[in-house]
Amino acid sequence: MSLTLHKVAVLSDEDDSHLFTFILDHPQKLLETKSVESTEVHYAGHTWSLVCMRKDERFLGIFLKWRYSDGNSATFLSTKCKYVLTLVHCHDYRGNKNFMTSQKFTTAQPLLGKSKFIPFDELLEQESGYLDDVGKNVVIELGFNYCSTRFEQLVDVSPTNRIRKNASGIYFDTTTFVLANHRWYLRFYTTKVNSNGLPAVYLYLSGKAKGVSMELRFTLCLCNESTEILAYNFGESAKFDGFGKTLQEPLPNASKMTEALASVEITSIMVYKCANVRLFQQPAAFSSRFQRKDHFGSYNGAYGSAGSSLASVETFQDHEGNFWKLDLVRDAKTLTIIIDKGVHHFPNNKTKIVCFSMVLLSLDQQKGSDINMNGYPIVGCFSNFTDDRGYLTTFPLLLSKLEDPGSPYLTDSGDIHIRINFLSSQTTSLVVRSGPRFDYQLNHLLLARQELQENHRSLQEMREMSASQASLSLLDDGLVSDGSFSSGQMMPGKILTPLSKSLDSLDAFSTGDMAPSLEEDYHRFFFSDLLRCFVETNSRAPTADAWITSRKEVLSAAREETLAETSVLANDASILSAGARIGAGDTRKQSETIRNVVKYLQQRLPLRISEIVELGSLGTGTVTVDRFDADIILFSPDVPAERQSLWMPALLHCFMTCMMQGSNNQDPFYPLPRCGDFSTTPFALQFSCDGIDVDVSVAYDWESEGAGSYNAVYEASCKSTVKTDRLWHGVACSRLKKKFLCDQPNEVKAMIKILKHWRDGIAWRKTEYRPNSYLLSLLVVKAYEEARSLDAKRIIQKMASYILAAELSLSWSTFYLPEKYPVEFDPPSPLIRDPTNPAVNVADSLPYWGQLRTEFTIWVRSLGITVSPLGS
């Protein structure tokens, strides 16, 4: 019995997704043996393995193991990754069993996964479809979607340890840690001499790089003061061995400090090699024309030197010590490079599975930019048992163009410079081509293609349907196959009452305040416009479910709000409170405006509105002098409970058309205040009305008859692995959200106003760095609950401990028991579980906490409050 790596796939996406395919042969032997562990794989600079284990004698458990072996730094290093374990069904990919999660691995807890993945009875039954045709092998896939590495150490900075000094002042170094087969460490200055005494922190590569370069993206932190996301290329040809930044604020009592917490969060690492390929020999006396100035530097010195030119037969090493060589295909029309192993035999008859991409580097960016290879990254298998002559990579550049005088890609010595990105490098003990058959993958692809064609066909049929024969019930799976509709029904899950072909049932919506024919005309226009928008939005992607918003839209989902020009740096909480205070009479006009908007929506929209909930500062009683805003949530049993990304954009567009018509053409029956600045986000219709920023959302009414109430919301939300679906379930809990905020004491609401007033006075570098009101409100509420005091400074001090905490986890048991709903959340955000929905992490609304921590620390210190992170 063995668990062996057979295939590797690397996706060209922002998350650097990898998919490893393992073969577990003779799984029956797990009934006799406790566990089996795979050969190691490499991802994000770390070493991992897959473990299959017998649990409770009846179940197969599948686990991911982090294999970190450096004892000196083991207690200071951790990694967070998002991964998915898949037990592959050999006949139908829809029968795959998946386990997706995001977890933190430490040396104290290196083995995580699912203990009861599948019963052995089901796994070993041939008819279940998990055993191959001969009944000996099971296919298991391990997919990585994201991984970050965190190193954190508390360093002694007492006077007795201030013994190392350079031109910048006294410095301190942390223990070295291992990442991507290289050692790293942090160096920091509590007071840097040549930076006006400000602190500084740097990430250093310890020793020389092993012939390669590494491009890192990371964030540094010193005593809870963090930098923005930094990027630097370490290793070969790097100008400096370390890179970092001077912080903006001095450390409090730096001369009296005895300990300092230094940390780094590395979010991505790319290993690459810059190598030369000989095109032709130039005369030695030919003068140098170009010299590249950027971070790619040169190969072993300067690109133009004759001694640094690498002949095509010369080999080079990667970060794992593997030898490779590059050569030029000279009879090709376009530039074609061949890469092959640089040794005749690998030790111990191993097989290397390497994924790589190449870039042709330009020596003069003004004359020509770098050129990427054609196609996607290549996965190549190199072993002692194959006679392949390497793998070909082509570039969109004619070979004759390289020989032109003045070419920005050719050195004086006749070389071109290629950057090889080593995206993945794995070792397996088997000959890949002699392994088990992977015909199931072909069958899976064919099934997926058939489903894609069916989706295209259905979409085309919808375009061809007459608007007079269409109904919004098309958005639900309950559409009859022949396109007909059943009339006279009204069921939850439908977006409207289904219509007959003649639309005779439109009179069911008549209110009696207007002539039925006019009301029917309005509804007919609304339905036609909605169907048109639905077809347009869903034709932008191959499938109906692919209406995908960007990560920024999902996490922010809010307008770019106008910031106040006043600077909030008051040194007394009472002064700040006075600036944020607003009288109840001051909101009378705004409240009347919102009531008119609500009345208009309730009367004009052809939906059954069971309840309208008003949130925002006006709805929760937390209005400040800086801004008036209102969030209006319409609850209806006539909209689908799920798949909002499919139908919501079209519905919000029709809401916007309705509001614009009502604002431009005043209706004597339903008067609407003058509104403007209309726009839509994936979550809401946004506009301004009499100086009030208004957001309108619609949600399925889970409290309607037969809907299942909030227990059904929680279960559906916890089962979902799509973050946008969880956020929509959070909108459906707006009733509870209003109750939670309105039930808080008036002193807590006053504190919320203070925090919102402070926030609106900060010049945030980016809109998404600005914390939203709900996040600040939850921090204030929890600080009040744990401080057990209404004193403003004590609440602010407690909030500071939350905001500055390296790892934060907050929850409430007001409407549910958190332990009853275990949910794995994505790293690396702090965790603030929504008190109204256990599957929503409110902290995800703020993708970067660095500026919040910095600005909040400045403000708290200006109030004379001592800052200490949670748990310190």
Side-chain angles (χ1 to χ4, degrees), residues 761-791:
I762 300 297
W764 302 98
R765 293 196 296 269
K766 293 184 179 180
T767 304
E768 56 265 31
Y769 292 175
R770 178 183 184 271
N772 64 37
S773 300
Y774 190 47
L775 174 60
L776 292 178
S777 300
L778 293 183
L779 290 173
V780 171
V781 171
K782 180 57 72 172
Y784 158 70
E785 292 175 351
E786 294 193 352
R788 298 180 181 179
S789 172
L790 293 174
D791 180 68

Side-chain angles (χ1 to χ4, degrees), residues 535-709:
V535 173
E536 287 180 358
T537 55
N538 287 281
S539 63
R540 299 174 188 174
T543 64
D545 290 322
W547 174 256
I548 303 299
T549 58
S550 67
R551 182 176 185 270
K552 178 179 177 181
E553 290 177 317
V554 169
L555 295 181
S556 301
R559 74 179 77 224
E560 189 169 332
E561 304 178 35
T562 304
L563 300 179
E565 296 180 357
T566 58
S567 178
V568 183
L569 290 175
N571 57 9
D572 183 72
S574 61
I575 298 177
L576 187 59
S577 177
R581 190 179 301 119
I582 184 169
D586 299 332
T587 63
R588 188 179 299 109
K589 179 181 177 182
Q590 288 77 11
S591 299
E592 180 65 25
T593 299
I594 295 302
R595 280 195 294 269
N596 290 334
V597 172
V598 169
K599 181 179 178 181
Y600 179 85
L601 292 171
Q602 194 166 17
Q603 295 295 331
R604 292 294 287 164
L605 293 178
L607 290 170
R608 287 188 303 169
I609 305 298
S610 55
E611 185 177 351
I612 296 180
V613 174
E614 182 185 336
L615 291 172
S617 61
L618 286 170
T620 58
T622 56
V623 176
T624 66
V625 296
D626 301 312
R627 181 171 178 261
F628 295 89
D629 65 284
D631 298 336
I632 301 174
I633 296 90
L634 310 177
F635 286 90
S636 173
D638 297 338
V639 297
E642 307 290 343
R643 304 173 70 184
Q644 283 84 355
S645 59
L646 173 65
W647 52 267
M648 185 61 72
L651 185 60
L652 292 177
H653 177 85
C654 293
F655 280 12
M656 181 173 67
T657 303
C658 175
M659 291 295 300
M660 293 175 66
Q661 289 179 347
S663 178
N664 297 330
N665 304 300
Q666 289 294 320
D667 192 319
F669 295 99
Y670 314 121
L672 182 68
R674 182 68 63 179
C675 302
D677 299 329
F678 288 94
S679 64
T680 60
T681 72
F683 290 85
L685 163 66
Q686 296 181 339
F687 57 91
S688 60
C689 192
D690 286 349
I692 308 171
D693 294 329
V694 183
D695 286 27
V696 178
S697 301
V698 62
Y700 175 64
D701 189 358
W702 288 88
E703 289 189 325
S704 59
E705 184 178 355
S709 191

Side-chain angles (χ1 to χ4, degrees), residues 78-244:
S78 64
T79 178
K80 294 180 180 179
C81 70
K82 183 177 181 180
Y83 65 95
V84 55
L85 302 172
T86 304
L87 182 62
V88 177
H89 194 283
C90 295
H91 308 300
D92 189 350
Y93 70 94
R94 290 166 297 192
N96 293 351
K97 288 188 177 296
N98 300 292
F99 173 70
M100 179 182 294
T101 183
S102 300
Q103 292 176 318
K104 176 181 177 180
F105 291 81
T106 63
T107 52
Q109 195 175 23
L111 188 68
L112 298 171
K114 188 172 180 62
S115 58
K116 296 181 180 180
F117 203 98
I118 185 175
F120 274 109
D121 294 342
E122 182 180 357
L123 175 68
L124 302 179
E125 178 63 41
Q126 191 72 33
E127 295 180 355
S128 298
Y130 299 106
L131 287 173
D132 64 0
D133 295 339
V134 295
K136 294 182 179 180
N137 300 308
V138 170
V139 181
I140 300 175
E141 292 179 344
L142 166 63
F144 285 101
N145 296 323
Y146 174 84
C147 185
S148 65
T149 302
R150 183 176 183 85
F151 175 82
E152 185 177 57
Q153 185 178 6
L154 194 63
V155 180
D156 180 11
V157 296
S158 60
T160 58
N161 200 36
R162 301 173 186 175
I163 55 177
R164 287 179 287 189
K165 186 176 181 180
N166 57 22
S168 299
I170 298 175
Y171 65 89
F172 305 89
D173 291 344
T174 66
T175 304
T176 61
F177 63 95
V178 179
L179 183 68
N181 288 340
H182 288 77
R183 285 195 170 272
W184 310 78
Y185 66 92
L186 297 180
R187 173 170 293 179
F188 63 90
Y189 302 82
T190 56
T191 54
K192 192 175 181 182
V193 175
N194 50 8
S195 297
N196 298 323
L198 292 174
V201 58
Y202 300 86
L203 174 64
Y204 269 82
L205 175 63
S206 179
K208 294 183 178 180
K210 301 176 182 179
V212 295
S213 300
M214 288 162 288
E215 180 180 344
L216 269 68
R217 292 177 61 85
F218 55 95
T219 303
L220 297 167
C221 185
L222 178 63
C223 296
N224 303 308
E225 295 283 348
S226 59
T227 67
E228 67 272 20
I229 299 177
L230 306 175
Y232 188 70
N233 293 67
F234 295 86
E236 186 181 49
S237 75
K239 187 176 181 180
F240 304 104
D241 292 334
F243 186 77

Side-chain angles (χ1 to χ4, degrees), residues 205-455:
L205 175 63
S206 179
K208 294 183 178 180
K210 301 176 182 179
V212 295
S213 300
M214 288 162 288
E215 180 180 344
L216 269 68
R217 292 177 61 85
F218 55 95
T219 303
L220 297 167
C221 185
L222 178 63
C223 296
N224 303 308
E225 295 283 348
S226 59
T227 67
E228 67 272 20
I229 299 177
L230 306 175
Y232 188 70
N233 293 67
F234 295 86
E236 186 181 49
S237 75
K239 187 176 181 180
F240 304 104
D241 292 334
F243 186 77
K245 193 171 184 179
T246 301
L247 302 179
Q248 298 180 353
E249 295 295 326
L251 299 178
N253 300 320
S255 60
K256 299 180 181 180
M257 293 178 61
T258 58
E259 292 181 328
L261 184 67
S263 64
V264 59
E265 184 97 14
I266 302 173
T267 55
S268 71
I269 179 169
M270 169 69 73
V271 180
Y272 67 90
K273 174 74 177 183
C274 291
N276 292 5
V277 175
R278 177 62 53 84
L279 186 64
F280 57 86
Q281 184 68 42
Q282 288 277 24
F286 199 73
S287 61
S288 176
R289 296 171 295 148
F290 305 118
Q291 185 177 3
R292 184 162 177 140
K293 300 295 185 181
D294 64 6
H295 56 268
F296 289 124
S298 63
Y299 179 76
N300 289 337
Y303 275 133
S305 61
S308 67
S309 178
L310 181 65
S312 61
V313 296
E314 188 174 344
T315 61
F316 60 89
Q317 284 183 284
D318 61 14
H319 58 296
E320 294 183 348
N322 303 314
F323 285 89
W324 307 97
K325 61 182 179 181
L326 297 180
D327 201 356
L328 178 70
V329 180
R330 303 182 184 277
D331 56 353
K333 292 183 179 180
T334 60
L335 176 62
T336 305
I337 302 294
I338 186 171
I339 183 172
D340 198 4
K341 60 181 184 289
V343 293
H344 292 290
H345 292 281
F346 288 119
N348 302 320
N349 288 332
K350 299 291 185 180
T351 295
K352 299 291 182 180
I353 305 177
V354 180
C355 179
F356 59 89
S357 63
M358 294 188 187
V359 181
L360 173 64
L361 300 180
S362 171
L363 303 179
D364 190 340
Q365 293 292 328
Q366 295 181 350
K367 291 191 173 184
S369 58
D370 297 341
I371 300 178
N372 293 316
M373 57 178 273
N374 290 321
Y376 295 103
I378 296 175
V379 177
C381 298
F382 303 87
S383 72
N384 301 335
F385 308 99
T386 57
D387 296 328
D388 294 339
R389 298 186 59 187
Y391 290 83
L392 298 176
T393 58
T394 61
F395 293 81
L397 180 66
L398 293 175
L399 198 58
S400 58
K401 292 291 184 180
L402 289 175
E403 302 175 1
D404 292 343
S407 171
Y409 304 103
L410 191 64
T411 66
D412 300 337
S413 56
D415 294 343
I416 56 175
H417 308 301
I418 302 294
R419 166 173 163 159
I420 307 128
N421 298 317
F422 292 99
L423 306 178
S424 179
S425 179
Q426 314 299 331
T427 303
T428 182
S429 58
L430 297 180
V431 182
V432 173
R433 294 185 178 180
S434 64
R437 298 168 60 188
F438 287 86
D439 294 341
Y440 76 90
Q441 293 181 337
L442 178 60
N443 295 332
H444 287 189
L445 290 175
L446 290 175
L447 285 173
R449 180 177 297 178
Q450 289 176 0
E451 287 193 357
L452 184 61
Q453 291 174 347
E454 289 296 328
N455 288 331

